[in-house]
Amino acid sequence: MASYNAYSSPNQSYIPSTSSNQNYTPSAPPMQYSSCSTPSSDSYSSSYSSYPPAYPQQFGYSSGFQDNYNAFFPPGTNPEVIRSFQAVDRDRSGSIDERELQSALSSMYQGFGIRTVRLLLFLFKNPRGPSDRIGPAEFAVLWDCLGQWRMVFDRFDRDRSGKIDSEELKEALRSLGYAVPPSVMQIIMSNYIDSASGRGGLNFDNFVECGMIVKGITDKFKEKDTRYSGSATFTYESFLTTVIPFIVP
Amino acid sequence: MASYNAYSSPNQSYIPSTSSNQNYTPSAPPMQYSSCSTPSSDSYSSSYSSYPPAYPQQFGYSSGFQDNYNAFFPPGTNPEVIRSFQAVDRDRSGSIDERELQSALSSMYQGFGIRTVRLLLFLFKNPRGPSDRIGPAEFAVLWDCLGQWRMVFDRFDRDRSGKIDSEELKEALRSLGYAVPPSVMQIIMSNYIDSASGRGGLNFDNFVECGMIVKGITDKFKEKDTRYSGSATFTYESFLTTVIPFIVP
């Protein structure tokens, strides 16, 4: 059985996958940071059932939403998060779409590309809610997660250039709990490094995009690898259903 | 064992995946059109070994390339294909990058988005060659494939609007040999149809993008489903290596 926590030692290096290697780690829990649990259709109802409905208008709870935003956020939510949501949810619908989310995130960080925003929306939305919007509870989780990832990014951007390189990305992902094989790192980095000059790197937007792809794909793999064996079996339909949402634009 | 050719009858409808259903089709061969075989690392050397090297300069074959483009294309290549390649390969390097490919394809069809072009480049490039360029042999295969897909698109765009809808996409993919489950069709279409108005559709660029994603993912699945059982097992590394190239921008 594969171990998902082989990174208890900070200096432990990547352990390649072989059938005889019992220490192979599809992913590992974080050393220092939470890797931001995103809702899955199975786990969602239990972990979120104590919150008010995330989409008041759609579920007929619009009355009073305009006057009391706080009630729709998890207890203890940072007021800045509530203000940020309120600022972009101009029609007071109680949920925000991809453009509003992009605007909210870009006001806090540097600009976020629409592909990254769509990926975040896909990973953090309520699986029982609409596919193209997120509500206050999910927004708060996402905000918190991005804050943690920003800390990781800043920690590895040692020269404060605003960009991290291949090695730093690998270390950053590892500190978030993801042991990405070198072959995969190479594929990822080829999109950000100019092959001729060897120059380039990932800004925070790129880092979030890459990290969330790795996180999302790993989480999906784990759902199928229920015995933590390091391998998972998919039917054709489950394979397409798992993979296609990450690919379509 | 699942059958990959359940669509011998043109009227046969989609057969959903169940473990007891022996007719489940991960994909099926084309009814009328070739589904354009793209090179894989395993099959490439045998099927292309009779052609000249695709990248003359990189392999030291640059001499005379400027004077005799024809020799680097498969025998019988349409002269229009050769002219098109030549028109964008301005530095006569013998291979073209994504922007040059975009320019070549856009001159033949309507504009192609860079994401579609990157996907085509990823699927049609020589696995033994550079990752970001394609040569004459691959270009000829791609050109031929797009011609076939254009015929399929035109056949299903019955009202000549330049767009096809969800049902037409499903039928078009089926005629190309891909039986896409309804759940997956829904995910794909949600990106092209406005959820509020229900309006939208796929132009030829979108159709190629969607179709090539389905084709590429299905081909990768088939490589693992060697017994045509309708299910496939991946290690974490092979899963990431398979999926990530389709996702990263």
Side-chain angles (χ1 to χ4, degrees), chain A residues 20-145:
Chain A
S20 63
N21 188 332
Q22 296 303 299
N23 290 319
Y24 169 63
T25 56
S27 76
M31 283 156 47
Q32 294 182 273
Y33 305 94
S34 154
S35 55
C36 314
S37 62
T38 46
S40 75
S41 3
D42 295 336
S43 66
Y44 199 83
S45 55
S46 58
S47 54
Y48 279 72
S49 57
S50 63
Y51 296 155
Y55 305 99
Q57 280 202 341
Q58 277 113 330
F59 290 93
Y61 289 91
S62 68
S63 167
F65 189 79
Q66 296 89 330
D67 308 319
N68 189 9
Y69 251 85
N70 294 5
F72 295 99
F73 282 90
T77 299
N78 184 336
E80 187 187 5
V81 177
I82 300 173
R83 275 197 300 274
S84 175
F85 188 93
Q86 200 165 7
V88 295
D89 181 25
R90 293 199 186 86
D91 61 359
R92 298 290 184 269
S93 64
S95 67
I96 56 177
D97 66 16
E98 62 183 32
R99 290 291 169 191
E100 291 167 335
L101 179 59
Q102 185 179 34
S103 174
L105 298 181
S106 298
S107 73
M108 177 63 183
Y109 303 103
Q110 66 192 51
F112 269 80
I114 195 66
R115 281 207 73 211
T116 309
V117 172
R118 281 180 187 157
L119 185 65
L120 292 171
L121 202 147
F122 164 63
L123 291 174
F124 285 83
K125 70 182 165 57
N126 178 342
R128 296 177 305 162
S131 65
D132 56 352
R133 306 182 74 83
I134 67 170
E138 300 86 59
F139 182 76
V141 174
L142 168 57
W143 190 276
D144 187 47
C145 181

Side-chain angles (χ1 to χ4, degrees), chain B residues 112-149:
Chain B
F112 268 80
I114 195 67
R115 281 208 72 210
T116 308
V117 173
R118 281 180 187 156
L119 186 65
L120 291 171
L121 203 147
F122 165 63
L123 290 174
F124 285 84
K125 70 183 166 57
N126 179 343
R128 296 177 305 162
S131 65
D132 56 351
R133 306 181 73 84
I134 67 171
E138 300 86 60
F139 182 76
V141 174
L142 168 58
W143 189 275
D144 188 47
C145 181
L146 287 180
Q148 293 170 28
W149 282 41

Side-chain angles (χ1 to χ4, degrees), chain A residues 14 24 26 115 132 181 183-184 191 195 213 217-218 221 230-237 239-240 243 246-249, chain B residues 14 24 26 115 132 181 183-184 191 195 213 217-218 221 230-237 239-240 243 246-249:
Chain A
Y14 170 73
Y24 169 63
R115 281 207 73 211
D132 56 352
S183 58
V184 178
N191 284 280
S195 57
I213 288 170
I217 289 289
T218 302
F221 186 85
S231 71
T233 300
F234 294 81
T235 64
Y236 176 62
E237 179 163 357
F239 187 67
L240 285 185
V243 170
F246 287 91
I247 302 175
V248 289
Chain B
Y14 170 71
Y24 169 63
R115 281 208 72 210
D132 56 351
S183 58
V184 178
N191 284 280
S195 57
I213 287 170
I217 289 289
T218 302
F221 187 85
S231 70
T233 300
F234 293 81
T235 64
Y236 176 63
E237 179 162 356
F239 187 67
L240 285 185
V243 170
F246 287 92
I247 303 175
V248 289

Side-chain angles (χ1 to χ4, degrees), chain B residues 61-84:
Chain B
Y61 289 92
S62 67
S63 167
F65 189 79
Q66 296 87 330
D67 308 319
N68 189 8
Y69 252 85
N70 294 6
F72 295 99
F73 282 90
T77 299
N78 184 335
E80 187 187 5
V81 177
I82 300 174
R83 275 197 301 274
S84 176

